[in-house]
Amino acid sequence: MLPTHSHADRRELNDEVHARAYENLFAPEQVSQLIMLVTPEDRANEHAHVAKLCRAWRIAAPESGGRIYFDNGEVRVQIERHQEFTRYWFGRRIDGVGPFENSLCNALPHDWLNKLPGTLLVAAHVELVSKQEESRFRTEEDLSRVFEGNRVIAAKIAGGAGRAYTDFRIHGDGYSRFLVVDESLSPGQAGRTVQRLLEIETYRMLALMAFPEARKLIPQLRTADRGLLHLTAGLARGGGETDEAIQAELTELAAKVENLLSASYSRFDASRAYHAIVNTRLEQLREERIPGFPTFTEYLTRRLSPAMQTCNAVAHGLEQLSRRIANANQLLTTRIDVKLAQQNQSLLQSMNRRAKLQLRLQQTVEGLSAVAITYYGVSLANELFKGLKAAGLHFVNVELMTGLSVPWVGYMVYRGLCRFRETIEQDELSEQK
């Protein structure tokens, strides 16, 4: 019995280790592989295209899935769907045919093969032959004929249990070629060896897909670098363009570099992953040198590694340039902030001076207002005294009483203004709290 609830992806996760299972092979054997780069539209058409081949062979079409396997009694077919490509693998037994003389793909409907969904990236033939047949192409001259006169790369593999030959070139039929000699390989070893050789061919091509993009980016990277150098030189001099103009140019440059970085990041990242797979598969071959021939590892290290280093250098250069632009922009922003702070400080000092002037003017106006109010108050008191005298109070001395009222009226006006100012200040303090 098992628990009632299982993880939704339990079976898929368990089956992942079987996703790239190899097939036992017995010499003599022909294997061909096609790697098709696919878009979502191509992916949607793949199953219908496989069903078309099954109808032509009059066999039942397999169910759609990540890995498909079927055969018509003569040709075995494996189809694996990967993230950005689909792998088509074909195998069949052969008897008494010279290497690469009768292509396996001749057994497939040409119309079906020509219309495979996607764009072809890798096409490879592998011939697995027995040790007895090796005598026909044991010399360099014989191998040269097999590989159309190209330089041959070769090594003993699987601890000396077999030999592998290739030239890593696309031949006249559009396919690259691998020749594997079974000296004492078990069927499992033969299957793993062929699979590893095909994966080396596949993933070296996928890794190199970043190389043309890297070469296109190199001039743009140099132009952007010179532009940054010009802007930082202007920033260091502090003359010529204004900080705002430099910041606008820096922002534009940063946008261009970030666009290049975003457009190429996934390709460069995938390239590094594919290159790592190539190196792993080379280690798994367990090569031993055949005198007079470069090994697979030696050849690919010399030819593939420089391209990968170029891709890594461009990717690193883009990331470094992005950081340098960000640093320059931060430095410029800091300088602009300091200038704004200085301007704000000058503005505040100017406002303080104006406030002091306004306060002095206000105090002057208040003083004049006190004089004016006192004058009008004394004038009213004078009229009052005149009225009292006219009413019969002859003892009232208008001039004397008016003169005596001046200090008293002035003091009352002064106290009233002070009280009014204190009330306003208390209201302001209350609002601030």
Side-chain angles (χ1 to χ4, degrees), residues 49 126 193 213 228 238 267 331 363 410:
H49 199 69
V126 181
T193 296
E213 188 169 350
L228 179 60
R267 185 74 268 159
L331 178 63
Q363 290 173 345

Side-chain angles (χ1 to χ4, degrees), residues 311-384:
C311 295
N312 292 336
V314 171
H316 182 70
L318 280 173
E319 292 174 359
Q320 289 296 314
L321 184 59
S322 177
R323 292 193 189 98
R324 288 165 54 204
I325 292 173
N327 291 338
N329 202 4
Q330 185 177 7
L331 178 63
L332 181 58
T333 300
T334 302
R335 194 166 85 173
I336 291 174
D337 290 343
V338 170
K339 285 186 176 180
L340 287 175
Q342 291 174 345
Q343 292 175 357
N344 291 337
Q345 187 176 4
S346 299
L347 181 61
L348 288 173
Q349 290 175 349
S350 176
M351 291 176 64
N352 286 336
R353 288 194 298 269
R354 291 181 181 178
K356 288 179 181 179
L357 290 174
Q358 289 178 350
L359 179 60
R360 291 176 182 176
L361 181 61
Q362 181 181 353
Q363 290 173 345
T364 303
V365 170
E366 287 178 357
L368 295 174
S369 299
V371 173
I373 295 172
T374 301
Y375 174 77
Y376 285 110
V378 171
S379 298
L380 290 175
N382 180 263
E383 294 298 323
L384 175 62

Side-chain angles (χ1 to χ4, degrees), residues 272-317:
R272 285 189 288 269
Y274 291 139
H275 187 218
I277 295 175
V278 172
N279 291 333
T280 301
R281 297 298 179 266
L282 287 171
E283 291 175 5
Q284 292 170 344
L285 284 179
R286 292 186 292 150
E287 294 177 277
E288 297 177 14
R289 179 178 294 278
I290 298 176
F293 296 95
T295 65
F296 287 77
T297 300
E298 180 184 350
Y299 183 83
L300 289 179
T301 299
R302 188 170 65 249
R303 303 300 177 90
L304 181 61
S305 294
M308 293 298 97
Q309 288 170 2
T310 299
C311 295
N312 292 336
V314 171
H316 182 70

Side-chain angles (χ1 to χ4, degrees), residues 384-430:
L384 175 62
F385 297 146
K386 287 181 180 179
L388 291 174
K389 187 174 182 178
L393 298 175
H394 298 287
F395 62 87
V396 176
N397 188 333
V398 175
E399 288 78 6
L400 178 61
M401 295 300 291
T402 301
L404 292 174
S405 67
V406 171
W408 183 82
V409 172
Y411 175 76
M412 294 302 294
V413 170
Y414 172 75
R415 289 298 302 164
L417 289 175
C418 289
R419 181 63 181 169
F420 179 69
R421 190 183 302 115
E422 289 173 359
T423 303
I424 293 176
E425 289 176 354
Q426 288 175 357
D427 291 341
E428 287 179 355
L429 289 173
S430 299

